[in-house]
Amino acid sequence: MKILITGATSGIGLALSKLYNSHHHEVIAIGRNKQALIALENEGIEVWQLDLVDLNSTRSTFQKLKEKHGLIDLAILNAGNCEYVDCKNFNAELIKRVFDANIITLANSIEGVLPLLRNSHNPHLAGVASMAGYLPLSRAEAYGASKAAANYLLETLAIDLKEENIMVSVINPGFVKTPLTAKNDFPMPFALEVGSAAEIIFNGLAAKKAEIDFPLRLTIPMKFMSILPRSWWRKLAEKLKRKD
Ligand SMILES: NC(=O)c1ccc[n+]([C@@H]2O[C@H](COP(=O)([O-])OP(=O)(O)OC[C@H]3O[C@@H](n4cnc5c(N)ncnc54)[C@H](OP(=O)(O)O)[C@@H]3O)[C@@H](O)[C@H]2O)c1
C-alpha cells in the first residue's frame, strides 16, 4: 500500500511511519522538522517538508505528489499541536494557533489528498482527533474545541465520501507519551507508550474500523461522562480542575 502520513516527524506519526515501513508499505512522510525528515529518509522513507497551515505550499506539494505517485491508498492525517488556555489572560491568538495546527492542517491535507485517494481501488482516509473532544475539559478551550471540530469534520466526511467508496476512520487517542504530552504538568491516566498507540492504530486501520478510540479504560468513563447532564459534569469537572 502507498501510505501518506502527516505529522510524521515526531510522536505518534513517527511511530506509525516506522511501523508501516517495517511492514514493507511505501510510506510518504510529511512534516516540517528537517533533521527528523533526514532521519526518516535514512530509513528508506520518502519525505516531504511542508507546513500544512500554508495552503499554497500544500496545494503545490500535493500536485507534485500526484504527478509522482498518482494515488494514495491510505492517508493518516495526524499533524497537530496542543496549547492550554489561561482564562485569566485569554488570548485569541492562542486559539487561532491551535485551530491552525489541528483544523487548518487537517482541511488543507484533505483537499490535497482526496484526488490521490480517488485513484486508489481501496481508498482509506484516517484523521487523528482526540478524546479531548468528547467533553469540556479545564484549560482545553482551544485544543478540545479544535479536536471536537476535527471529529465532526471527519465524521461528516465519512458520510459524504461513502458514495465514492472512500472509507473514513476517526482516531481518538487518550494520553500517549510523546513530545506533545511531555509538556503536561498534570497526571495522565493510563498514558500509553507511543509504540503501543501506533500498534493499536495500525490494527484498527487494518480492520477498517470507523472509530479507533483507546485506551478502553479511559474511553469508557469519558464517554459515560459525556452523556451526563452538563450541570452534573460542570460540578465534577470543577472538582477535577487543577488548583493553581
Ligand atoms: N499524544 C497524545 O496524548 C495525543 C492524544 C490525543 C490526540 N493526539 C493527537 O495526535 C497527533 C500527534 O500528536 P503527537 O502527540 O504525536 O504530537 P507531536 O509529537 O508533537 O507531533 C506532532 C506532529 O505534527 C506535526 N505538525 C504540527 N504542525 C504542523 C504543520 N503546521 N505542518 C506540518 N506538520 C505539522 C509536527 O511536525 P514538525 O515538528 O515537523 O513541525 C509533528 O510531526 C496530534 O494531532 C495530537 O493532537 C495526541
Side-chain angles (χ1 to χ4, degrees):
M1 270 201 298
K2 268 187 206 278
I3 303 171
L4 178 133
I5 302 176
T6 71
T9 50
S10 175
I12 297 170
L14 177 62
L16 282 170
S17 300
K18 291 182 175 189
L19 186 56
Y20 279 102
N21 189 44
S22 73
H23 283 260
H24 309 294
H25 291 292
E26 190 176 344
V27 176
I28 298 158
I30 293 182
R32 293 172 301 186
N33 180 326
K34 198 164 182 191
Q35 287 309 110
L37 289 171
I38 291 169
L40 280 170
E41 203 167 26
N42 289 338
E43 294 190 31
I45 293 175
E46 180 176 325
V47 299
W48 292 73
Q49 190 177 28
L50 172 63
D51 181 349
L52 286 162
V53 174
D54 182 336
L55 182 56
N56 288 333
S57 307
T58 305
R59 282 182 173 155
S60 77
T61 300
F62 275 90
Q63 185 54 39
K64 288 181 199 145
L65 276 167
K66 191 158 181 262
E67 283 157 17
K68 179 166 181 196
H69 290 282
L71 62 86
I72 293 289
D73 299 300
L74 169 62
I76 307 178
L77 309 181
N78 156 80
N81 198 11
C82 177
E83 290 184 62
Y84 293 110
V85 169
D86 170 8
C87 275
K88 294 197 175 76
N89 301 295
F90 193 92
N91 179 351
E93 285 170 8
L94 184 155
I95 307 278
K96 182 180 181 318
R97 275 200 305 276
V98 174
F99 269 72
D100 276 348
N102 294 334
I103 282 294
I104 301 306
T105 60
L106 181 61
N108 290 353
S109 309
I110 292 168
E111 184 194 291
V113 84
L114 274 180
L116 286 106
L117 285 171
R118 288 192 174 106
N119 291 338
S120 166
H121 290 301
N122 201 7
H124 190 177
L125 185 153
V128 181
S130 168
M131 222 178 266
Y134 288 179
L135 79 175
L137 298 166
S138 169
R139 301 197 297 138
E141 285 84 352
Y143 185 71
S146 72
K147 290 301 187 177
N151 197 296
Y152 196 101
L153 195 167
L154 291 161
E155 289 294 353
T156 313
L157 266 187
I159 298 166
D160 288 328
L161 294 179
K162 178 83 174 75
E163 65 191 25
E164 294 187 69
N165 280 325
I166 302 178
M167 169 70 193
V168 177
S169 297
V170 186
I171 301 163
N172 288 308
F175 292 110
V176 182
K177 293 179 198 166
T178 67
L180 181 144
T181 50
K183 298 176 280 187
N184 288 351
D185 57 357
F186 53 82
M188 297 191 286
F190 313 120
L192 289 180
E193 296 299 331
V194 72
S196 311
E199 289 278 353
I200 292 168
I201 295 170
F202 179 92
N203 291 330
L205 292 177
K208 292 270 169 85
K209 285 192 175 172
E211 256 191 310
I212 303 170
D213 295 16
F214 62 92
L216 265 187
R217 287 172 294 177
L218 194 56
T219 307
I220 292 169
M222 292 279 281
K223 284 209 164 165
F224 171 72
M225 287 186 289
S226 75
I227 59 168
L228 289 177
R230 280 290 190 246
S231 57
W232 295 15
W233 170 245
R234 286 182 189 183
K235 280 184 195 141
L236 189 55
E238 174 65 24
K239 289 204 172 75
L240 296 172
K241 211 169 134 180
R242 191 179 72 159
K243 306 289 174 241
D244 290 321

